[in-house]
Amino acid sequence: MADKIWLGTDSSSPTDFNTAANWSPSGVPGASDNVRFTAAYSNNCAGYDASGTALADVIVERGFSGELGSATADLQLACTYFEFSGEGVSYIDLGSSSVSPRIKTTAPGAGVGQYGLYLIGTGLSVLSVEGGSVGLAAIHGQASTCTTVRQLGGDLKVGAATVTNYEAHGGSAIVACNLTAAKLYGGSLETAEQMTIGTLTIENGTCLASSTGTITTANVHGGDLDMSGTGAARTVSTLNLNPGGGIKYDPASVTISAQASDAPITISTSGF
C-alpha cells in the first residue's frame, strides 16, 4: 500500500494516468494504493481505463481544479472509497466497484442540462450528494446501478439508472428512472419522462410529479405533491393525504384511484 498524489507534470505526457512521472512518489498507482488529486497540482488527467487495478481510496480534494476524464473518455477507476470535492468538470466511471461515493462539491454546470460531475457505476451502494452539480448516468445511453441515492444539497440529475431508493433532505433533483421508494424530508424532486414510483413519502419539500408513470402509493404528511406542471395523463393509485400535506392537480389529467387519511383533514379547491 502506498500514498499517491497526482502531479500531471510529465514533459511529454502530462495528462496520462499511466505515466509514472505524473505521480508522487514516481510510479503509477497499484493495488490498494491511496490516491489523491490535490489543489497543489490542479492539472488535467485524461480519460483512461484504470479499472483493472483495485485501489483503496480515491479522493479529489477541495481546490483541485483540473478536469478528470472528458466527454468522450471517462476516467475509469476501481476503488473501495470515493470522495469528490473538485472544481473541474469531470467524468468518472467507478465500474463494478462496490462503493458508496460522497460528492461534496463540484464545478458548477456550464448551463441548463450540464453538470460539474458526470458519474456512472454498476456497483454503487449509497450515493451521497452533499453539494455541487451531479449527473448520474445523465448522458443518453449510459447506465448505472445504485441502491440508494441520498441528497442533502446541490443539483442532481439521474438518467437511465437502476435506483432502488431516493431520499432527499435538501437540494433539487430531476429523476428519470423508476424508483421503488422516494422519501422527501426537504428539497425538491422532479419526476421526468416515464418514471414510476412505488411508494412516495413526503414529510417536507416538494415533489413535482411531471412524469407519465404511475405513483402506486403517495403518502403526503407534509410539503406538497405538485402535479400541475403538465397536462399529460397520470395516475396515483392510492393517495394518503394527511394534515400538513398538500396536493395540486387537475382532475382532467390526473386520476386518483383511492384516497385515505390517517386523521381528519380539510380539502379546499382553488385555481392554480
Side-chain angles (χ1 to χ4, degrees):
M1 178 186 294
D3 295 324
K4 294 287 187 176
I5 296 175
W6 169 256
L7 303 178
T9 54
D10 180 69
S11 59
S12 59
S13 302
T15 65
D16 185 11
F17 184 100
N18 201 40
T19 294
N22 280 328
W23 295 95
S24 176
S26 182
V28 177
S32 299
D33 284 355
N34 300 304
V35 172
R36 298 290 186 277
F37 294 86
T38 69
Y41 299 97
S42 288
N43 298 313
N44 295 348
C45 180
Y48 177 75
D49 186 357
S51 61
T53 300
L55 303 171
D57 59 36
V58 175
I59 297 179
V60 183
E61 296 183 357
R62 187 177 297 274
F64 176 81
S65 59
E67 297 180 357
L68 304 179
S70 69
T72 57
D74 294 334
L75 179 58
Q76 301 174 52
L77 301 168
C79 57
T80 59
Y81 180 83
F82 181 81
E83 182 179 303
F84 190 96
S85 301
E87 299 174 3
V89 176
S90 296
Y91 299 77
I92 303 293
D93 180 357
L94 294 177
S96 59
S97 299
S98 179
V99 64
S100 293
R102 287 188 65 189
I103 313 304
K104 302 179 77 173
T105 188
T106 71
V112 176
Q114 297 178 290
Y115 304 92
L117 173 63
Y118 292 85
L119 180 68
I120 57 176
T122 59
L124 307 181
S125 179
V126 177
L127 169 61
S128 176
V129 179
E130 301 163 23
S133 175
V134 182
L136 176 64
I139 299 174
H140 186 61
Q142 290 184 329
S144 288
T145 301
C146 183
T147 302
T148 299
V149 174
R150 184 170 293 129
Q151 185 173 12
L152 286 79
D155 173 27
L156 171 67
K157 165 65 182 293
V158 181
T162 299
V163 176
T164 304
N165 307 302
Y166 171 79
E167 180 181 307
H169 298 265
S172 62
I174 299 174
V175 177
C177 68
N178 297 340
L179 298 172
T180 300
K183 297 181 179 179
L184 273 67
Y185 300 96
S188 67
L189 165 65
E190 179 179 351
T191 67
E193 300 180 13
Q194 302 175 71
M195 71 91 78
T196 65
I197 302 177
T199 301
L200 169 65
T201 302
I202 305 176
E203 302 290 349
N204 198 1
T206 301
C207 177
L208 303 170
S210 299
S211 66
T212 58
T214 294
I215 300 173
T216 302
T217 301
N219 302 310
V220 186
H221 303 301
D224 294 291
L225 174 56
D226 186 348
M227 306 184 75
S228 65
T230 174
R234 284 150 296 149
T235 297
V236 177
S237 298
T238 300
L239 171 65
N240 297 312
L241 182 61
N242 294 301
I247 182 170
K248 183 185 294 185
Y249 74 101
D250 180 356
S253 59
V254 176
T255 299
I256 298 176
S257 302
Q259 182 175 325
S261 175
D262 293 336
I265 60 173
T266 298
I267 298 176
S268 62
T269 62
S270 65
F272 295 154

